[in-house]
Amino acid sequence: MSRSFPSALVLPATWLLAATLAGGTLRAGWAYAKRAELRHGAELYAIHCANCHGARLEGQPDWQLPGADGTFPAPPHDDSGHTWHHDDAMLTDYIRRGGQAVLDDMGVAMTSGMPAFGEILTEDDIAAILSFIKSNWPDDIRAIQARRNGG
């Protein structure tokens, strides 16, 4: 004796299966895109940032003390620094306009040596660099910084 499923159940089951497969494809596509963004961010970081902030995001020695000219050395972008204390909007602005312009607008009396990259890097480039930097943080630090972004 063979059993058959009512056709009213076959169509929803088919849709559910299709949606599940599509969701997996979308997640795989997102993961691939994220990896591509991280690779791009790593390449851009190596070209534009590593010279000052270190190939391993370690920053310059004594980064919390101003040099003889009053300029602060480049800070680390790993979890030992303070990059993760700021939201993405501020970090993007800092990269785009340069440190001194942002600090002046914020009323912070500090001399930054961070140049402006707005004429060199696109918004997508800056986002990729920030994604790369964040990918090197421990989960708890990433979560704290995400909350600063409202997430």
Side-chain angles (χ1 to χ4, degrees), residues 18-150:
T20 301
L21 292 173
T25 301
L26 289 174
R27 279 190 300 280
W30 178 86
Y32 175 78
K34 193 66 176 169
R35 283 193 308 272
E37 179 187 39
L38 291 177
R39 278 194 307 275
H40 183 59
E43 291 167 0
L44 291 170
Y45 181 90
I47 294 167
H48 300 288
C49 312
N51 191 47
C52 294
H53 292 280
R56 292 180 311 280
L57 292 84
E58 72 274 13
Q60 294 176 340
D62 299 321
W63 63 273
Q64 293 175 312
L65 303 172
D69 66 354
T71 303
F72 280 80
H77 288 313
D78 61 15
D79 60 334
S80 73
H82 64 86
T83 305
W84 57 272
H85 293 202
H86 304 289
D87 65 24
D88 287 354
M90 188 274 197
L91 295 171
T92 298
D93 195 31
Y94 211 87
I95 295 167
R96 184 187 319 109
R97 295 192 304 133
Q100 199 59 56
V102 174
L103 292 174
D104 290 347
D105 285 354
M106 293 171 62
V108 176
M110 184 179 123
T111 304
S112 172
M114 173 77 174
F117 285 92
E119 298 294 319
I120 299 167
L121 300 171
T122 67
E123 292 296 308
D124 287 344
D125 290 341
I126 293 170
I129 290 169
L130 290 175
S131 289
F132 165 70
I133 290 170
K134 292 180 203 182
S135 74
N136 287 276
W137 296 339
D139 290 341
D140 60 332
I141 297 296
R142 241 188 334 269
I144 292 168
Q145 200 270 339
R147 285 193 295 276
R148 297 187 191 292
N149 291 310

